[in-house]
């Protein structure tokens, strides 16, 4: 185990929570700002950076010893803020590369890929993070840490990992001037198999999406 991991595991929960909360708040603010569409040409590179940094925080939560909430039942944090507008903004901004395919669990043999959306991923991640932030802002530090750690392992961690893979793949396709398999017509409601994906995939040159996404191809 690295010194950094050992250090995290021995830190006072309140100090650790400040660091985690700062990282999470930074992610929420940054991604919300990207969703406004003021700089659409830089959206994908910014999202790649922000999701990467968030997963570092998630890794610290996952490596830390288990947090225990102070109360047996989770206190009510009130209604969840609506993320539909953010989801819709990203869906419009990232079209036609919003939909991608992902294997849900890499340890399940012969698992068929499923359709996902980057816009859905970002909205779901922010929903989980805001839930923990509500506890943190109300002074329930241990509850916030427990929620962030639990939801990292069960939901926003896998979701962010899949989203990062899609964003990294998109950047790689464009920067390396490689054709991108189009999943246009594939929806997240479809129970797609590998054969279905192959049949639905078209060919879209990276140059066609490079301009709108603010990327430039390079050659060697």
């Amino acid at each position: 185990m690295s010194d950094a991991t050992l250090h995290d595991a021995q830190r006072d929960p309140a100090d650790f929570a400040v660091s985690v909360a700062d990282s999470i708040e930074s992610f929420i603010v940054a991604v919300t700002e990207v969703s406004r569409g003021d700089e659409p040409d830089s959206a994908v590179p910014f999202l790649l950076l922000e999701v990467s940094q968030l997963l570092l925080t998630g890794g610290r939560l996952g490596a830390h010893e288990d947090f225990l909430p102070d109360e047996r039942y989770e206190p009510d944090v009130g209604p969840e803020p609506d993320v539909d507008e953010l989801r819709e903004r990203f869906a419009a901004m990232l079209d036609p590369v919003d939909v991608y395919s992902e294997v849900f669990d890499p340890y399940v043999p012969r698992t068929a890929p499923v359709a996902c959306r980057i816009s859905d991923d970002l909205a779901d991640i922010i929903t989980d993070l805001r839930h923990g932030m509500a506890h943190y802002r109300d002074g329930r530090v241990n509850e916030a840490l427990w929620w962030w750690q639990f939801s990292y392992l069960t939901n926003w961690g896998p979701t962010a990992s899949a989203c990062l893979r899609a964003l990294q793949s998109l950047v790689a396709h464009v920067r390396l001037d490689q054709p991108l398999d189009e999943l246009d017509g594939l929806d997240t409601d479809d129970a797609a198999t590998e054969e279905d994906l192959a049949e639905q995939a078209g060919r879209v040159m990276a140059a066609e999406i490079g301009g709108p996404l603010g990327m430039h191809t390079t050659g060697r």
Side-chain angles (χ1 to χ4, degrees):
M1 184 179 293
S2 69
D3 291 342
T5 302
L6 286 170
H7 179 64
D8 271 352
Q10 296 168 357
R11 291 181 64 175
D12 183 272
D15 294 336
F16 184 72
V18 171
S19 175
V20 171
D22 286 347
S23 174
I24 287 173
E25 180 68 16
S26 175
F27 175 84
I28 293 173
V29 171
V31 171
T32 301
E33 190 64 28
V34 173
S35 75
R36 301 187 193 282
D38 294 336
E39 298 184 34
D41 291 349
S42 303
V44 168
F46 276 143
L47 291 174
L48 178 65
L49 177 61
E50 293 300 330
V51 176
S52 297
Q53 291 177 332
L54 178 66
L55 280 170
L56 174 58
T57 298
R60 295 172 62 204
L61 285 164
H64 203 288
E65 60 188 9
D66 289 346
F67 292 104
L68 297 177
D70 295 327
E71 303 179 32
R72 181 176 180 182
Y73 298 103
E74 181 183 8
D76 185 14
V77 296
E80 299 285 355
D82 187 16
V83 294
D84 284 345
E85 184 177 356
L86 180 141
R87 187 194 317 270
E88 291 168 2
R89 286 176 177 174
F90 275 124
M93 184 186 307
L94 297 173
D95 183 66
V97 295
D98 190 26
V99 179
Y100 67 96
S101 61
E102 172 67 10
V103 175
F104 182 71
D105 189 339
Y107 282 99
V108 176
R110 295 176 295 280
T111 300
V114 297
C116 303
R117 290 183 181 273
I118 296 174
S119 56
D120 287 343
D121 291 347
L122 295 171
D124 291 347
I125 293 167
I126 286 183
T127 296
D128 275 348
L129 299 180
R130 281 178 174 170
H131 187 88
M133 187 63 70
H135 286 304
Y136 181 78
R137 288 172 175 165
D138 285 345
R140 294 184 292 271
V141 173
N142 287 338
E143 187 73 42
L145 288 172
W146 177 86
W147 172 259
W148 282 327
Q149 184 184 62
F150 172 77
S151 57
Y152 165 74
L153 297 173
T154 60
N155 191 40
W156 72 260
T159 299
S161 297
C163 183
L164 178 66
R165 180 73 181 101
L167 292 167
Q168 189 275 336
S169 179
L170 178 58
V171 170
H173 276 290
V174 175
R175 294 279 168 82
L176 299 177
D177 196 16
Q178 296 175 342
L180 183 69
D181 288 338
E182 183 184 20
L183 298 181
D184 188 31
L186 174 65
D187 199 354
T188 51
D189 293 331
D190 294 341
T193 64
E194 292 185 45
E195 291 76 15
D196 294 330
L197 292 174
E199 291 176 2
Q200 294 167 354
R203 303 299 289 175
V204 175
M205 295 303 296
E208 295 181 4
I209 64 171
L213 294 179
M215 301 179 182
H216 305 282
T217 58
T218 58
R220 293 190 63 180

